[in-house]
Amino acid sequence: DAGVIQSPRHEVTEMGQEVTLRCKPISGHDYLFWYRQTMMRGLELLIYFNNNVPIDDSGMPEDRFSAKMPNASFSTLKIQPSEPRDSAVYFCASSLGGGYNSPLHFGNGTRLTVT
Amino acid sequence: QKEVEQNSGPLSVPEGAIASLNCTYSDRGSQSFFWYRQYSGKSPELIMSIYSNGDKEDGRFTAQLNKASQYVSLLIRDSQPSDSATYLCAVNPRNNAGNMLTFGGGTRLMVKP
């Protein structure tokens, strides 16, 4: 299995630009999560989907952030407009089932730098 | 108060020693607990899960849970330099569908040869 695939691995952009991060979950997994990791705040859950439907987006910091999952094999996290404080590593993770014993499988992350 | 708290470290232990990593959580109703290991520049990977009070052993790793004290720990026996990483404690505060995890800030472990 290829695991969770994220792209790009690194993104450098200027403040005010639109940024789109992409994720392909493990085939067959029905839950998809977007996390953000910074030194100051650690790993934070932004939003998660079940069967392509957003279930909880309470972690999305503000309206500049949006996430979609048009089908079972693809999700995007968009930031528009981007700001320097959005600089972080963004992880996508997927799991099979939503039970407490369903482990999360993380992608390699996208390191975003907004200048 | 943060929901999941860990000492950021670094925790430095000599090779072959036991490393003890600790975590406290605030939601008394939490039912499932996880330890993830994250190497520098890499993604977190699950190493242990525990759901009941007591100890759970897996190779050199032992997870310990005390729900009354809202405390979970990870022991690494015979520590190796390859164990040097950041260890993240994660808690599912609601134990419901979605496996929504709240992570602690992580403890950086350094195992010195």
Side-chain angles (χ1 to χ4, degrees):
Chain A
D1 196 324
V4 176
I5 300 174
Q6 291 186 247
S7 64
R9 288 298 308 276
H10 302 274
E11 176 79 42
V12 180
T13 190
E14 293 184 347
M15 181 174 63
Q17 297 299 306
E18 178 179 295
V19 175
T20 300
L21 312 181
R22 297 172 175 79
C23 175
K24 176 179 169 57
I26 293 173
S27 177
H29 281 194
D30 54 348
Y31 282 83
L32 183 140
F33 304 80
W34 282 101
Y35 280 88
R36 176 173 69 175
Q37 187 173 39
T38 61
M39 289 292 292
M40 289 295 294
R41 301 176 66 89
L43 201 57
E44 304 173 281
L45 177 64
L46 300 177
I47 185 172
Y48 82 91
F49 296 81
N50 175 218
N51 290 325
N52 315 337
V53 177
I55 303 301
D56 190 323
D57 65 354
S58 59
M60 296 285 262
E62 48 197 277
D63 292 345
R64 298 185 297 106
F65 286 69
S66 62
K68 294 182 179 180
M69 193 166 185
N71 57 62
S73 59
F74 184 65
S75 176
T76 60
L77 178 67
K78 185 176 294 187
I79 308 173
Q80 166 64 20
S82 57
E83 297 182 3
R85 60 193 168 122
D86 301 331
S87 297
V89 180
Y90 291 80
F91 286 104
C92 175
S94 69
S95 71
L96 176 61
Y100 64 89
N101 57 352
S102 301
L104 295 183
H105 298 263
F106 283 85
N108 289 326
T110 295
R111 182 174 295 276
L112 173 65
T113 303
V114 183
T115 61
Chain B
Q1 181 189 7
K2 291 187 67 175
E3 294 181 45
V4 181
E5 298 219 38
Q6 298 179 253
N7 188 317
S8 62
L11 172 66
S12 182
V13 301
E15 183 176 356
I18 295 175
S20 178
L21 305 164
N22 304 314
C23 170
T24 58
Y25 59 94
S26 60
D27 188 333
R28 186 171 289 276
S30 300
Q31 296 293 323
S32 49
F33 310 86
F34 306 85
W35 284 99
Y36 282 77
R37 177 177 62 200
Q38 186 175 25
Y39 292 112
S40 180
K42 303 295 186 182
S43 58
E45 56 177 329
L46 179 67
I47 53 173
M48 288 286 289
S49 60
I50 186 166
Y51 313 115
S52 304
N53 278 330
D55 295 359
K56 179 181 178 182
E57 187 174 317
D58 183 0
R60 295 186 296 112
F61 298 96
T62 299
Q64 299 175 316
L65 175 61
N66 183 326
K67 291 183 180 179
S69 300
Q70 295 174 240
Y71 177 93
V72 58
S73 65
L74 179 70
L75 301 178
I76 306 175
R77 290 181 299 280
D78 189 23
S79 296
Q80 301 297 309
S82 59
D83 295 325
S84 298
T86 296
Y87 289 80
L88 302 168
C89 174
V91 176
N92 185 334
R94 280 168 258 178
N95 208 39
N96 60 1
N99 201 13
M100 293 174 57
L101 298 184
T102 299
F103 284 84
T107 298
R108 189 158 70 96
L109 173 66
M110 297 172 57
V111 181
K112 299 193 172 182

